[in-house]
């Protein structure tokens, strides 16, 4: 009986020591932390960062044909489009394209639904402001976001492949 | 004026003690500051991350920032607390470790107060901490705090017994309660080799006295939010925080003194050996904290009374027996 | 007919009973007292209020108050097309969003009669099992935290980060995926994803033994979880538990094997079964389920058919639900059985009613019975072992 107790005590001590060995080993391995403002993770292509409108650079206009699919398919009513009917050419003309970055749930249905390749995602997630009203973007903001995201060499330089195995 | 007489007079002695005490206090506060940083960094490295990095190069100024934050916070005293007890508790918990450090031998001639009953005094002072925790738990007028305080009182009481039994081994080997004598008796071989069981017991009982995981039921974050110091904020909380790390330093000093040979060591100066040993013990205490889950209250009490106390008695028996035969 | 009582009135009636007095002697007694483990708490895995009646340290009664995270997902779903519904199912259980997506899509396909191509089915099973691993990793970390161990949480999240990265490469989001759609999946797998998935699985299998060394074999952990919160077979069946909470009590039932959906009928996998029904058995069931999920994913990756034309998008955008149909679809989510009931009134693109039967809701109901007589520290262990997430309870 006593021998059993001593054996179980010894076994417990060994198992406790084994657990401590695991923790000690990790103390000497490279940490997995990415120091955020100085190092940024390389984001995959399909990342849903910020919604942008692709712009036709020469004419500085967006390619949106006001088919209204994105507004209808949005589950959250985060997109609101103002348009005028051009009765001469029998087309709709975009006046304002509002996207509420605050309400949006970043589901991507609008981008998938757009048949004219004018909406897209860019891997830019630092769009927070101190004023909520500034988070309602119009089409100029969205095109600007796309243009700024194309050549961000400073951010690209910081991007790191965070993989440790 | 006779300079020699002046210097030898009691006033000079008192002034010297006052200055030395002030220096010791500041050294202790500095050590506590360093320990908070060490805990955060060591826990970070064990958890495959970096710990604080932004404040100061490699995060070394983080405790300073913490201290400033805590000192500038609003001092909230909840409405129906027991005012006297509530206010006394943080002070009462922060003082004993600061006092007890003065009894510890840092080097061959580097001890603030060399009394012949130093170990007894140190153990008595650590008991004051448990009273302060009970006061904090009661005085906060909060069910969570009361639970935490009562649990802590029970726990501290049980592990005091185990602590004292484990500490009796080196006392028997050295033949004196004075910490300086115990260190001097380890000139040949450190007591940890003569008393391995006593060392483990004292370390475990010491961690339990500190209320650290796996024995941190009184401040079990996941169950009762923050236990006995739930209602404290600002500077009062800073005192609790400081007391925990000062206590940790004190217990490590005692472990190093009783078992690891204090300032004894071949080449380097005594103080350096002492510091190395103390920080090694502190590292082990932190390592244990971040590896194990915590005990439940009744399991803790069972472990204290049914495992540690019999082993402590066994240790005394064996030590006495071997001493008699050899 | 009297007006239905408001929630406030009912809560006022639902008074905590008078505290029971336990007499030691005529002059010495203790009272039961109520402790509020409030909506904001480090251990309730979300916003859940538990009012615990304690006699000293012993739990006498636990009353959960849920509803702090109610977002009326089911009501909102009544006014959304099948395609838009899926976004909301992400939020029903955001820890295992792929499984929730899958459940809703199966219901939508069954009710509207949509076929899913075989490659789509295999991809969905891969995603569901990967998300099972991620969900169990999160549970494992949280369980350690509940018990006081700080480090397993970080190790678990290091592995979970890899799974989330894989998901990000596939669909673009890290938590609410909106990837599994009625008719298949949203996009095909990107280049070399299969290789990355394989290398993750190899890496993950080397980490599981470490979790066992750190937590499972730890004597303190064993003493905290063995014999705690025992559920017998009959009790488990009566309470309607499901998933690892049920299998830990010895009831050998797994929806993937016994009522197979998607391609689970073609896959061979082990379903871990416990015997004693205590916390430790439930814990061990979940740990072994992670290994079995790795097995499933490996089989699926081998059997993955070649790429076929993707028609999921067109199908799901134009889907219309026929009138007067109702379906009930059962899936095995990481927490237990997740069923979706969908019915259509007069037909059209939007369903009339979508109901989610989530495992956490049923498992939470058993908490009171399970924890009576144990101590308050055990309550946390039991609650952790039931793997309850609040978004599933409140929807």
């Amino acid at each position: 009986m006593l021998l059993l107790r001593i054996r179980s005590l010894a076994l417990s001590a060994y198992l406790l020591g084994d657990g401590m060995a695991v923790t000690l080993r990790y103390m000497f391995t490279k940490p997995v932390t990415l120091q955020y403002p100085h190092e940024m993770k390389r984001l995959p292509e399909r990342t849903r960062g910020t919604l942008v409108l692709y712009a036709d650079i020469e004419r500085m206009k967006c390619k949106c044909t006001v088919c209204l699919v994105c507004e209808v398919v949005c589950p959250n009513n985060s997109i609101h489009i103002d348009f005028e009917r051009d009765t001469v050419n029998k087309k709709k003309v975009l006046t304002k394209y509002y996207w509420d970055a605050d309400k949006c749930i970043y589901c991507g249905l609008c981008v998938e639904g757009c048949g004219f390749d004018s909406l897209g995602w860019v891997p830019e997630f630092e769009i927070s402001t101190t004023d909520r009203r500034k988070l309602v973007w119009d089409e100029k903001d969205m095109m600007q976001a796309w243009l700024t995201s194309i050549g961000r060499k400073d951010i690209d330089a910081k991007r790191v492949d965070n993989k440790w195995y | 004026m006779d300079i020699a007489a002046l210097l030898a007079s009691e006033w000079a002695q008192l002034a010297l003690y006052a200055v030395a005490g002030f220096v010791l206090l500041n050294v202790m506060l500095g050590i506590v500051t360093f320990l908070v940083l060490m805990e955060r960094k060591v826990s970070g490295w064990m958890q495959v991350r970096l710990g604080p990095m932004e404040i100061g190069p490699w995060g070394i100024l983080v405790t300073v920032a913490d201290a400033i934050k805590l000192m500038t916070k609003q001092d909230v005293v909840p409405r129906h607390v027991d005012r006297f007890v509530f206010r006394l508790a943080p002070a009462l918990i922060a003082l004993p470790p600061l006092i007890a450090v003065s009894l510890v031998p840092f080097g061959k001639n580097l001890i603030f107060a060399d009394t012949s009953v130093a170990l007894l005094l140190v153990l008595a002072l650590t008991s004051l901490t448990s009273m302060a925790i009970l006061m904090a738990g009661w005085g906060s007028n909060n069910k969570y705090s009361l639970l935490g305080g009562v649990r802590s009182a029970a726990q501290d009481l049980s592990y005091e017994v185990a602590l004292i039994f484990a500490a009796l081994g080196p006392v028997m080997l050295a033949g004196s309660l004075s910490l300086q004598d115990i260190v001097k008796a380890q000139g040949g071989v450190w007591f940890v080799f003569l008393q391995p069981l006593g060392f483990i017991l004292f370390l475990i009982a010491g961690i339990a006295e500190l209320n650290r995981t796996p024995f941190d039921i009184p401040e079990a974050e996941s169950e009762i939010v923050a236990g006995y110091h739930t209602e404290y904020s600002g500077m009062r909380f800073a005192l609790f925080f400081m007391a925990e790390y000062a206590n940790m330093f004190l217990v490590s000093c005692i472990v190093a003194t009783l078992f690891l040979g204090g300032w004894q060591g071949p080449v380097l100066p005594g103080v350096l050996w002492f510091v190395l040993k103390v920080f090694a013990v502190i590292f082990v205490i932190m390592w244990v904290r971040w590896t194990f889950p915590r005990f439940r209250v009744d399991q803790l009490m069972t472990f204290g009374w049914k495992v540690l106390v019999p082993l402590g008695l066994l240790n005394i028996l064996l030590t006495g027996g071997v001493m008699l035969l050899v | 007919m009297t007006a239905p009582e408001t929630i406030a009135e009912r809560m006022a009636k639902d008074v905590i009973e008078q505290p029971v007095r336990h007499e030691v002697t005529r002059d010495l007694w203790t009272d039961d007292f109520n402790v509020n483990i409030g909506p904001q708490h480090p251990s309730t895995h979300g916003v859940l209020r538990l009012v615990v009646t304690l006699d000293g340290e012993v739990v006498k009664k636990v009353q959960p108050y849920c509803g702090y995270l109610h977002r009326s997902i089911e009501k909102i779903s009544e006014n959304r097309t099948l395609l838009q519904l899926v976004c909301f199912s992400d939020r029903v259980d955001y820890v295992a969003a792929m499984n929730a997506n899958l459940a809703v899509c199966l219901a939508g396909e069954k009710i509207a009669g949509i076929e899913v191509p075989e490659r789509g089915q295999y991809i969905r099973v891969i995603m569901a099992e990967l998300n099972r691993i991620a969900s169990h990793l999160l549970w494992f970390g949280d369980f350690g935290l509940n018990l006081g161990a700080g480090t397993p949480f970080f190790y678990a999240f290091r592995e979970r980060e890899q799974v989330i990265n894989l998901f990000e490469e596939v669909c673009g989001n890290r938590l609410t995926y909106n990837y599994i759609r009625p008719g298949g999946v949203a996009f095909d797998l990107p280049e070399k994803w299969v290789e990355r998935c394989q290398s993750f699985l190899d890496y993950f299998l080397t980490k599981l033994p470490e979790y066992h060394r750190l937590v499972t074999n730890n004597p303190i952990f064993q003493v905290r979880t063995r014999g705690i919160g025992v559920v017998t077979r009959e009790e488990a069946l009566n309470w309607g538990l499901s998933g690892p909470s049920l299998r830990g009590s010895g009831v050998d039932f797994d929806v993937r094997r016994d009522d197979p959906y998607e391609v689970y009928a073609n896959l061979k996998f082990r379903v871990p079964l416990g015997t004693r029904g205590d916390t430790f058995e439930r814990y061990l069931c979940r740990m072994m389920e992670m290994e079995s999920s790795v097995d499933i994913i490996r089989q699926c990756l081998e059997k993955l058919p070649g790429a076929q034309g993707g028609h999921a998008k067109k199908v799901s955008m134009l889907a219309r639900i026929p009138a007067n149909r109702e379906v009930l679809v059962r899936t095995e989510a990481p927490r237990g059985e997740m069923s979706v009931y969908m019915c259509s009134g007069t037909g059209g693109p939007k369903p009339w009613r979508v109901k989610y039967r989530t495992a956490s809701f049923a498992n939470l109901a058993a908490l009171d019975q399970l924890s009576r007589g144990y101590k308050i520290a055990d309550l946390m262990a039991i609650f952790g072992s039931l793997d309850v997430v609040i978004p599933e309870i409140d929807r």
Side-chain angles (χ1 to χ4, degrees):
Chain A
M1 187 57 216
L2 187 65
L3 212 58
L4 206 64
R5 291 204 90 185
I6 293 180
R7 245 191 57 184
S8 79
L9 213 62
L11 184 65
S12 306
Y14 167 71
L15 291 172
L16 287 174
D18 194 29
M20 284 170 76
V22 171
T23 330
L24 191 66
R25 198 198 122 221
Y26 275 114
M27 193 164 152
F28 300 109
T29 57
K30 183 165 175 289
V32 302
T33 325
L34 260 185
Q35 306 248 66
Y36 166 58
H38 317 292
E39 302 171 347
M40 290 172 75
K41 183 167 161 290
R42 200 181 302 277
L43 292 170
E45 276 174 31
R46 298 183 186 177
T47 302
R48 301 181 199 158
T50 308
L51 198 63
V52 293
L53 280 169
Y54 296 137
D56 194 349
I57 302 190
E58 285 102 45
R59 284 180 275 173
M60 256 322 274
K61 260 176 44 136
C62 57
K63 300 195 224 167
C64 176
T65 59
V66 200
C67 67
L68 295 183
V69 167
C70 56
E71 184 174 358
V72 163
V73 89
C74 177
N76 223 14
N77 306 324
S78 316
I79 294 184
H80 182 76
I81 300 181
D82 284 335
F83 62 94
E84 285 169 350
R85 286 196 181 275
D86 187 359
T87 40
V88 173
N89 296 338
K90 295 283 202 301
K91 276 205 306 196
K92 292 184 252 186
V93 171
L94 183 74
T95 39
K96 270 295 190 190
Y97 188 106
Y98 288 114
W99 172 60
D100 193 341
D102 206 4
K103 262 170 85 175
C104 176
I105 60 174
Y106 297 86
C107 66
L109 288 178
C110 50
V111 172
E112 291 171 33
C114 180
F116 297 92
D117 208 15
S118 71
L119 268 181
W121 293 111
V122 290
E124 167 68 46
F125 51 86
E126 296 161 319
I127 59 171
S128 45
T129 65
T130 48
D131 187 357
R132 277 180 95 167
R133 291 168 293 188
K134 292 213 189 88
L135 278 179
V136 178
W137 286 12
D138 62 6
E139 76 277 7
K140 292 198 189 49
D141 295 326
M142 294 173 78
M143 285 195 281
Q144 190 57 43
W146 178 61
L147 288 172
T148 24
S149 79
I150 310 180
R152 289 296 292 272
K153 293 238 168 39
D154 56 336
I155 290 194
D156 282 337
K158 293 196 277 185
R159 289 206 189 265
V160 166
D161 258 327
N162 196 17
K163 187 164 175 262
W164 50 83
Y165 61 96
Chain B
M1 282 291 254
D2 194 355
I3 304 288
L6 190 67
L7 280 175
S9 76
E10 284 186 14
W11 289 112
Q13 293 280 355
L14 274 176
L16 202 64
Y17 268 118
V19 168
F22 183 70
V23 167
L24 185 63
L25 181 66
N26 279 310
V27 165
M28 270 304 288
L29 292 179
I31 288 178
V32 162
T33 314
F34 176 69
L35 279 182
V36 173
L37 175 72
M38 181 176 162
E39 165 108 58
R40 290 179 71 165
K41 280 303 219 182
V42 162
S43 76
W45 291 330
M46 282 184 181
Q47 293 165 350
V48 214
R49 59 186 176 94
L50 283 169
M53 292 287 286
E54 284 292 308
I55 306 177
W58 292 89
I60 54 181
L61 293 179
V62 102
T63 321
V64 176
D66 262 347
I68 295 177
K69 176 200 80 162
L70 284 170
M71 280 196 265
T72 54
K73 266 194 166 176
Q74 181 191 17
D75 180 22
V76 176
V77 176
R79 181 170 296 184
H80 295 293
V81 298
D82 190 336
R83 299 195 86 106
F84 178 64
V85 165
F86 185 81
R87 287 173 181 188
L88 188 57
L92 193 59
I93 198 175
L95 283 178
L98 296 177
I99 299 175
V101 161
S102 62
L103 296 162
V104 165
F106 288 99
K108 191 149 184 214
N109 293 319
L110 210 61
I111 180 169
F112 188 78
D114 192 2
T115 35
S116 56
V117 287
L119 186 59
L120 191 61
L121 269 177
V122 167
L123 289 173
L125 282 168
T126 51
S127 314
L128 270 182
T129 316
S130 45
M131 195 173 85
I133 296 179
L134 197 54
M135 286 167 73
W138 170 259
S140 296
N141 191 32
N142 182 350
K143 278 179 213 158
Y144 294 136
S145 308
L146 184 65
L147 267 179
V150 166
R151 281 167 164 177
S152 165
Q155 173 188 331
D156 281 349
L157 189 63
S158 343
Y159 284 88
E160 282 286 338
V161 179
L163 196 72
I164 294 177
F165 282 160
L168 277 179
V171 170
M172 287 163 73
L173 285 176
S176 145
L177 276 175
S178 158
L179 286 173
Q180 188 71 293
D181 284 347
I182 295 180
V183 175
K184 284 188 179 143
Q186 295 184 59
V189 60
W190 295 351
F191 286 164
V192 66
F193 301 111
L194 299 176
Q195 290 255 307
L197 184 60
F199 173 63
I200 306 265
L201 287 178
F202 193 91
L203 199 57
I204 296 178
I207 296 180
E209 281 294 312
L210 290 172
N211 288 343
R212 280 178 76 89
T213 323
F215 305 101
D216 69 345
I217 275 289
E219 42 177 67
E221 202 184 68
S222 59
E223 295 163 30
I224 46 178
V225 187
Y228 60 90
H229 53 71
T230 317
E231 294 289 343
Y232 289 91
S233 67
M235 197 59 211
R236 301 180 203 272
F237 176 72
L239 280 172
F240 276 104
F241 205 48
M242 204 182 76
E244 171 167 348
Y245 288 98
N247 254 323
M248 185 161 73
F249 180 72
L250 175 70
V251 167
S252 311
C253 283
I254 303 297
V255 170
T257 313
L258 287 180
F259 293 98
L260 293 179
W263 43 260
Q264 301 269 15
V267 169
L268 306 166
V271 183
L272 206 57
W273 270 117
F274 186 74
V275 165
L276 281 172
K277 289 172 197 173
V278 167
F279 279 97
V281 176
I282 290 181
F283 175 72
V284 168
I285 294 180
M286 288 181 180
W287 183 14
V288 163
R289 174 183 186 177
W290 291 107
T291 314
F292 299 140
R294 69 175 67 96
F295 276 110
R296 207 176 62 195
V297 160
D298 60 327
Q299 291 160 357
L300 203 148
M301 305 294 279
T302 317
F303 184 65
W305 287 109
K306 291 192 190 167
V307 174
L308 289 188
V309 168
L311 284 178
L313 286 171
L314 181 71
N315 185 33
I316 296 178
L317 196 67
L318 282 178
T319 313
V322 169
M323 273 179 76
L324 206 58
L325 296 173
V326 168
Chain C
M1 192 165 114
T2 56
E5 57 181 11
T6 61
I7 293 183
E9 284 169 0
R10 193 165 67 226
M11 279 182 80
K13 274 199 311 196
D14 199 9
V15 165
I16 314 294
E17 297 123 18
Q18 282 303 311
V20 174
R21 182 166 280 201
H22 308 276
E23 288 204 347
V24 181
T25 68
R26 199 170 45 104
D27 304 323
L28 191 64
W29 68 85
T30 59
D31 283 330
D32 286 351
F33 66 105
N34 294 317
V35 164
N36 186 31
I37 300 186
Q40 294 149 323
H41 191 92
S43 259
T44 50
H45 296 209
V47 276
L48 178 70
R49 181 175 170 219
L50 294 172
V51 178
V52 184
T53 306
L54 292 173
D55 172 20
E57 280 273 331
V58 175
V59 172
K60 280 285 186 302
K61 185 167 155 179
V62 177
Q63 242 172 327
Y65 284 88
C66 54
Y68 289 93
L69 197 50
H70 179 66
R71 296 151 292 170
S72 32
I73 288 182
E74 293 178 357
K75 180 68 186 170
I76 290 178
S77 305
E78 289 175 10
N79 203 18
R80 298 285 186 275
T81 64
L82 278 184
L83 182 62
Q84 294 168 325
L85 264 197
V86 178
C87 314
F88 292 96
S89 73
D90 273 330
R91 274 97 181 142
V92 166
D93 180 3
Y94 44 66
V95 178
M98 289 283 190
N99 289 277
N101 276 353
L102 184 58
V104 147
C105 288
L106 286 172
E109 282 150 18
K110 201 162 167 188
I111 202 175
I114 305 175
E115 288 260 328
V116 183
E118 213 189 341
R119 182 175 165 93
Q121 292 190 11
Y122 273 101
I123 295 182
R124 283 160 133 187
V125 167
I126 293 175
M127 295 303 160
E129 293 301 318
L130 268 180
N131 215 341
R132 189 182 309 268
I133 293 179
S135 169
H136 283 329
L137 280 171
L138 188 141
W139 161 81
F140 170 68
D142 261 345
F143 193 48
L145 269 183
N146 272 358
L147 291 180
T151 28
F153 181 78
F154 289 93
Y155 299 159
F157 265 69
R158 182 191 52 192
E159 268 68 82
R160 192 180 140 90
E161 177 78 13
Q162 297 307 305
V163 178
I164 304 269
N165 283 344
L166 284 172
F167 283 148
E168 198 182 8
E169 287 166 20
V170 164
C171 69
N173 260 350
R174 291 166 68 90
L175 197 67
T176 49
Y177 309 116
N178 193 24
Y179 177 63
I180 297 183
R181 305 284 175 81
V185 291
F187 322 103
D188 203 351
L189 301 174
E191 256 186 53
K192 303 230 189 287
W193 190 87
V194 173
E195 281 84 14
R196 283 194 286 268
C197 192
Q198 293 273 18
S199 78
F200 164 71
L201 293 174
D202 296 331
Y203 161 75
F204 181 61
L205 281 182
T206 64
K207 292 298 170 186
L208 273 176
E210 275 182 11
Y211 298 158
H212 287 302
R213 277 170 70 197
L214 186 59
V215 183
T216 317
N217 292 341
N218 194 330
I220 304 178
F221 177 78
Q222 299 228 335
V223 137
R224 277 300 288 277
T225 52
R226 278 197 195 268
I228 306 292
V230 176
V231 197
T232 58
R233 269 189 65 114
E234 290 71 33
E235 273 178 10
L237 288 169
N238 281 337
W239 277 104
L241 299 180
S242 50
S245 309
L246 181 67
R247 294 195 277 277
S249 302
V251 179
D252 193 7
F253 180 73
D254 183 341
V255 182
R256 292 175 292 173
R257 187 194 54 198
D258 300 324
D259 193 1
Y261 52 96
E262 298 288 88
V263 289
Y264 280 110
N266 306 345
L267 302 170
K268 280 211 221 359
F269 54 97
R270 288 177 55 196
V271 174
L273 189 65
T275 41
R276 273 177 296 231
D278 58 8
T279 302
F280 187 68
E281 299 280 323
R282 294 193 279 269
Y283 164 86
L284 217 51
C285 272
R286 287 202 180 90
M287 300 301 280
M288 315 242 95
E289 264 188 24
M290 283 201 261
E291 285 178 47
S292 131
S293 290
V294 170
D295 225 357
I296 299 179
I297 300 176
R298 279 207 172 129
Q299 287 177 45
C300 286
L301 287 174
E302 278 167 38
K303 294 188 181 172
L304 198 61
Q308 298 150 335
H311 65 285
K313 270 188 238 173
K314 292 211 193 84
V315 168
S316 48
M317 279 184 117
L318 304 170
R320 296 188 76 79
I321 309 177
N324 292 327
R325 303 233 351 222
E326 56 178 27
V327 290
L328 175 75
V329 162
R330 310 160 79 185
T331 61
E332 179 86 8
R335 324 233 167 283
E337 178 184 318
M338 178 158 173
S339 328
V340 175
Y341 167 81
M342 204 183 274
C343 82
S344 66
T346 47
K350 303 180 182 174
W352 181 253
R353 171 89 170 101
V354 178
K355 157 122 182 100
Y356 295 88
R357 184 267 183 208
T358 47
S360 301
F361 192 69
N363 291 355
L364 181 67
L367 182 65
D368 186 18
Q369 178 85 15
L370 276 184
S371 45
R372 287 196 182 186
Y374 293 103
K375 310 222 168 31
I376 192 170
D378 297 325
L379 173 67
M380 285 303 147
I382 297 171
F383 186 66
S385 78
L386 285 178
D387 196 6
V388 170
V389 282
I390 315 304
E392 271 200 336
I393 302 175
D394 294 338
R395 294 184 293 275

